[in-house]
């Protein structure tokens, strides 16, 4: 007997995604069909290029280049606010980060009432750089919540390491650009420093890019094992080569802090890839052991090449402790508002004594980011900056399993490397390094916020992105 089958309703096939309406920053409405618009395919590349240029030109560690970087960050933020579509949960995503950032800017403006603190000439530049960094952070948060922007940005950052390495090797001695005219010092005291001029800062930059390239190589290797394609294979090989090149340049800087932090981060990245990967997505034990042996050999070679630097560790450590003790004591003289942004140089000159003038007359930074933040913005400034970091870090950690995602974990390790190095050096005083760290933190936070809020647009985009990736 024939059975009766009721007709199916005339609707979309199950493979077609339901359009989700999103609102632009000027009130535009449109349907999101799963394919990113042209601006969302271009903006991640623009963000990566905006980070690479200042790193090549000395880290933007001069007045002119720092101001240009701040203006470029503001223009990029405006482009993201205008061109990127906005979901219903947009404010809920950025509020935990934007509120402490806005309070920090307001607090930094207080010394303007008293004439800019100790350095009224450098105060506007410091305030402009702070506003540019925070606007750039908010823009990267908005960018990270959109489909595919996170992956595109990481890929661009990893593969822009090649032109970065080429330029920092060629530009300082080529004469094509007047580096001294830009205020860039490439001496490096016999140690490789690229175009930045400070070997320790250059080491952090190369370590961060090598970590990102390693994460991309691991992620594409897992994809190639699951579904072998030529694109995944070539991407994996290219990222691996760039990661090794970054390790070599890091070794040439002979930075003790950079080398030790990088080896620790790489060991953690390899351990997580070994322990928290599903069966069949990684090679066998022999291949993993071979990879760890290669990494260990590179680490031993790095330690041997920088062994002469470790001999001076006790002497340098004693000097740093004396400097920090002096500055912590003086920080209690202005615990509320500090001495104003950009006032550290003037502050240092006013408090030189006959015993430390020879060693500290040219100090432009406290070699400890929390200490310098207290000196320039007071203890409330440190509290607001810590609240911003805790709010972002907490959401990133609870959003997903970072230990199972090599790309996300490599980004977090790069951020922690920069933060840890800034406790004993001047890394975050360099605007380009600060922008690099904030970009990684912002786009990771935006991705985590999109996952937690679970808006319709984000749910479609991330499910499709995971299938395509």
């Amino acid at each position: 007997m024939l059975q009766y089958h009721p007709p199916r309703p005339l609707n979309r096939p199950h493979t077609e995604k339901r359009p989700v309406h999103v609102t632009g920053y000027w009130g535009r409405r449109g349907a999101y069909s799963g394919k990113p618009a042209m601006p969302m395919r271009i903006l991640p590349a623009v963000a990566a290029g905006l980070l690479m240029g200042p790193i090549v030109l000395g880290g933007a560690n001069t007045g002119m280049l720092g101001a240009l970087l701040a203006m470029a960050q503001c223009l990029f933020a405006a482009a993201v606010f205008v061109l990127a579509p906005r979901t219903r949960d947009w404010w809920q995503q950025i509020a935990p980060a934007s509120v402490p950032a806005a309070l920090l800017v307001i607090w930094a403006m207080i010394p303007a009432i008293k004439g800019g603190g100790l350095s009224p000439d450098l105060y506007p530049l410091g305030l402009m750089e702070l506003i540019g960094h925070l606007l750039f952070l908010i823009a990267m948060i908005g960018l990270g919540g959109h489909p595919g922007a996170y992956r595109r940005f990481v890929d661009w950052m990893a593969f822009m390491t090649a032109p970065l390495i080429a330029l920092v090797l060629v530009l300082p001695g080529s004469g094509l650009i007047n580096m001294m005219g830009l205020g860039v010092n490439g001496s490096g005291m016999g140690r490789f420093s690229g175009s930045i001029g400070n070997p320790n800062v250059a080491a952090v930059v190369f370590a961060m890019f090598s970590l990102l390239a390693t994460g991309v190589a691991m992620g594409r290797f897992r994809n190639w094992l699951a579904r072998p394609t030529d694109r995944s294979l070539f991407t994996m090989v290219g990222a691996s080569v760039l990661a090794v090149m970054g390790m070599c340049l890091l070794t040439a800087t002979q930075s003790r802090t950079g080398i030790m932090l990088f080896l620790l981060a790489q060991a953690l990245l390899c351990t997580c890839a070994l322990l928290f990967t599903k069966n069949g997505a990684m090679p066998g034990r022999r291949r993993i052991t071979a990879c760890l042996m290669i990494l260990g050999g590179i680490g031993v070679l790095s330690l041997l090449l920088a062994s002469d630097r470790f001999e001076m560790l006790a002497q340098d450590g004693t000097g740093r402790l004396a400097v920090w003790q002096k500055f912590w004591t003086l920080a209690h003289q202005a615990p509320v508002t500090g001495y104003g942004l950009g006032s550290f140089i003037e502050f240092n000159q006013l408090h030189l004594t006959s015993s430390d003038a020879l060693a500290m007359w040219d100090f432009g930074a406290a070699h400890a980011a929390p200490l310098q933040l207290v000196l320039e913005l007071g203890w409330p400034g440190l509290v607001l900056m810590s609240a911003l970091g805790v709010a972002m870090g907490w959401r990133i950690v609870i959003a997903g399993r970072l230990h199972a995602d090599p790309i996300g974990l490599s980004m977090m390790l790069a951020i922690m490397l920069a933060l840890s190095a800034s406790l004993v050096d001047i890394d975050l005083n360099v605007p380009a390094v600060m922008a690099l760290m904030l970009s990684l933190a912002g786009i990771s936070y935006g991705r985590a916020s999109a996952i937690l809020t679970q808006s319709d647009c984000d749910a479609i985009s991330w499910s499709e992105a995971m299938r395509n990736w």
Side-chain angles (χ1 to χ4, degrees):
M1 180 181 294
L2 297 178
Q3 296 181 357
Y4 172 74
H5 296 281
R8 295 181 179 179
L10 297 177
N11 55 5
R12 299 182 181 88
H14 67 281
T15 57
E16 183 179 351
K17 298 301 179 182
R18 177 174 57 88
V20 178
H21 290 282
V22 294
T23 305
Y25 286 89
W26 288 103
R28 300 187 307 271
R29 290 185 61 83
Y32 172 75
S33 60
K35 183 179 180 180
M38 182 60 69
M40 298 311 301
R41 285 182 279 179
I42 295 177
L43 288 175
V46 174
L50 181 60
L51 294 170
M52 291 298 175
I55 291 175
V56 173
L57 297 177
N61 201 21
T62 62
M64 180 186 70
L65 295 177
L68 290 176
L69 175 60
M71 289 188 290
Q73 288 174 329
C74 294
L75 291 175
F76 176 78
V80 172
F81 296 155
V82 172
L83 299 177
R86 185 181 62 191
T87 62
R88 294 191 304 267
D89 301 320
W90 175 79
W91 173 249
Q92 183 181 355
Q93 293 174 9
I94 70 169
S98 59
V99 172
L103 293 177
L104 184 63
V105 172
I106 294 173
W107 187 261
M109 290 181 178
I110 293 178
I113 303 175
K114 301 184 295 182
L118 291 178
S119 301
D121 296 333
L122 296 178
Y123 173 77
L125 176 61
L127 184 61
M128 183 178 180
E129 290 180 348
L130 177 62
I131 294 175
H133 284 318
L134 294 179
L135 284 177
F136 186 64
L137 174 65
I138 301 300
M140 293 303 294
I141 292 175
L143 196 64
H146 286 277
Y150 171 80
R151 300 288 185 177
R152 291 188 188 90
F153 176 75
V154 175
D155 285 344
W156 277 106
M157 290 295 295
F159 286 98
M160 278 192 176
T161 307
L164 169 68
I165 293 173
L167 289 174
V168 299
L169 290 175
V170 172
L171 283 183
S174 63
L176 298 176
I177 297 179
N178 186 6
M179 307 299 287
M180 296 303 297
L182 295 174
V184 178
N185 179 19
S187 61
M189 299 173 294
R191 298 157 55 195
F192 177 74
S193 59
S195 60
I196 293 178
N198 189 303
N200 296 325
V201 178
V204 171
V205 172
F206 293 130
M208 293 176 72
F209 279 104
S210 182
L211 282 172
L212 291 178
T214 304
V216 171
M218 287 183 175
R220 289 305 178 97
F221 184 49
R222 293 171 59 179
N223 297 334
W224 180 78
L225 289 174
R227 188 177 61 181
T229 60
D230 293 340
R231 181 179 179 181
S232 297
L233 179 62
F234 293 150
T235 304
M236 177 194 67
V237 173
S240 301
V241 171
L242 293 176
V244 174
M245 293 176 65
M247 293 180 192
C248 296
L249 293 182
L250 167 64
T251 303
T253 62
Q254 301 181 24
S255 172
R256 296 167 301 211
T257 304
I259 291 174
M260 296 302 296
L261 291 176
F262 174 77
L263 294 177
L264 180 61
Q266 281 283 30
L268 182 59
L269 185 59
C270 292
T271 302
C272 291
L274 174 64
L275 297 179
F276 300 104
T277 304
K278 296 180 180 179
N279 295 329
M282 287 289 288
R285 293 182 179 180
R286 294 182 180 179
R287 295 183 182 180
I288 296 176
T289 304
C291 293
L292 293 178
M293 290 177 62
I294 294 174
L295 180 62
I298 294 175
V300 172
L301 181 61
S302 301
L303 293 176
L304 292 176
L305 293 177
S307 59
D308 55 340
R309 293 275 300 151
F310 283 97
E311 295 177 357
M312 300 181 292
L313 182 61
Q315 179 181 357
D316 294 342
T318 303
R320 291 287 172 86
L321 289 175
V323 170
W324 295 336
Q325 183 178 3
K326 173 185 176 180
F327 287 145
W328 275 120
T329 303
L330 296 175
H332 294 288
Q333 299 179 6
V336 181
T337 59
Y339 296 93
L341 288 172
S343 62
F344 182 84
I345 298 177
E346 187 72 19
F347 167 82
N348 182 41
Q349 296 292 323
L350 290 176
H351 294 87
L352 290 176
T353 61
S354 57
S355 60
D356 55 21
L358 184 61
M360 297 175 55
W361 69 272
D362 61 344
F363 264 42
H367 292 75
L371 173 58
Q372 184 150 348
L373 194 60
V374 170
L375 289 171
E376 296 190 355
L377 293 179
W379 288 98
L382 180 61
V383 171
L384 290 174
M385 185 63 75
S386 301
L388 175 62
V390 170
M392 295 181 63
W394 175 252
R395 178 161 287 197
I396 292 172
V397 170
I398 66 175
R401 300 174 59 197
L402 284 177
H403 54 266
D405 179 16
I407 297 179
L409 181 60
S410 66
M411 295 176 70
M412 292 301 100
L413 290 174
I415 295 172
M416 295 305 299
L417 188 147
L419 290 175
S420 301
S422 67
L423 297 177
V424 296
D425 220 311
I426 65 170
D427 302 284
L428 294 187
N429 291 97
V430 179
V433 180
M434 173 66 81
L436 176 60
M437 189 204 70
L438 291 179
S439 67
L440 298 178
I443 201 163
S444 300
Y445 175 82
R447 174 178 178 259
S449 298
I451 293 174
L452 290 177
T453 53
Q454 291 295 324
S455 63
D456 293 340
C457 180
D458 294 323
I460 291 177
S461 64
W462 285 115
S463 61
E464 182 179 0
M466 292 303 296
R467 287 196 300 271
N468 293 338
W469 191 254

